[in-house]
Structures are given as C-alpha cells and as structure tokens.
Amino acid sequence: MAEDIVQKVFINYEQEDDDFPAIKTYLYKEVLNACNQHTAAVKTAVIKAEVGGEINRAIAALPEGCSKVFKLSYVEELKNEEIAAEMAMPVSWVKTQKVRALELLHWRLKPETFLVLNFFLSIAE
C-alpha cells in the first residue's frame, strides 16, 4: 500500500506545472496527506463493517417472525400487504411484528448503533 501511495504522489508531482524547488518538503507533505487519507478510508470501512455486523447479529437474534418480517420489509422492501400474503398472516400481524422487531433492536443494540439503523431505515422509506 505504501508503494502505491508514493507512486500516486510522484504521478501527481509529475502532472504539476509549477516548479517545486523544495521537493523534499513537498513530497513529505504529499505522502503524509495521502497516508492520512488512506488511514481515514480504512477506519471508515472498519467502522461500517463493525456496525453492519452488530446490526446483522441483532436481526438474526430476533424471534423468527420478527426477523423474517423485518428482513422482508426493510431489506427486500416489500409492503405490509405483500409480506402478509407471502407469510399467510393478517396485515395487522405484520405491523405488530415490525414494531416488535424495532423495539427489540432498540434494546439489543448500542444507542449509537440503533441511531444508525434508524437513519438508514428512514432514508429507505
């Protein structure tokens, strides 16, 4: 990864029109900035994976009906009526299971993780 970062910095340097008399300082700052950007991207990916894993584990730990309704509703984006037809249950049961799933997730997830889940659920609707 370090070689890729340095190579990218040299390519950027070659594309510059300006004459850089302080090449050592320029290259040091560019490599440092590129490394910081890479580190930030890696940290973001790790956080996303951890939060996603925590949410997936919590959904998998839900009771079977809640879990299935939650997945059909929020992952497969089916309407309540479609879920009810697929599961041969009344629409009111589907609505109850969705509410129950969210309540259980609220208690099982860390507050900040539940906030992230709520955010994604709200933009999905």
Side-chain angles (χ1 to χ4, degrees):
M1 184 53 61
E3 289 175 354
D4 291 342
I5 289 172
V6 171
Q7 181 179 10
K8 182 179 175 187
V9 168
F10 274 108
I11 290 170
N12 289 345
Y13 175 73
E14 285 292 321
Q15 293 174 347
E16 290 288 330
D17 291 336
D18 297 335
D19 182 30
F20 288 102
I23 185 74
K24 185 177 178 181
T25 304
Y26 170 79
L27 291 176
Y28 175 80
K29 286 181 181 178
E30 285 297 307
V31 170
L32 181 64
N33 288 339
C35 288
N36 287 338
Q37 289 172 354
H38 175 72
T39 301
V42 169
K43 285 180 182 178
T44 301
V46 168
I47 290 169
K48 284 181 181 179
E50 288 176 358
V51 170
E54 184 180 343
I55 290 171
N56 285 333
R57 284 188 297 279
I59 292 169
L62 291 172
E64 187 178 340
C66 287
S67 178
K68 185 161 183 161
V69 167
F70 186 89
K71 289 175 185 174
L72 289 172
S73 179
Y74 296 109
V75 177
E76 296 186 26
E77 299 179 349
L78 296 179
K79 296 185 184 322
N80 291 344
E81 294 76 16
E82 295 169 322
I83 298 168
E86 184 172 317
M87 296 183 72
M89 295 288 186
V91 174
S92 60
W93 180 84
V94 171
K95 291 178 182 179
T96 301
Q97 293 301 307
K98 283 174 68 174
V99 169
R100 185 172 175 222
L102 287 172
E103 287 174 353
L104 290 170
L105 289 171
H106 179 262
W107 291 108
R108 292 180 180 178
L109 293 171
K110 291 184 246 178
E112 58 272 14
T113 306
F114 186 72
L115 238 131
V116 170
L117 176 63
N118 263 342
F119 171 74
F120 284 114
L121 294 179
S122 69
I123 62 171
E125 292 180 346

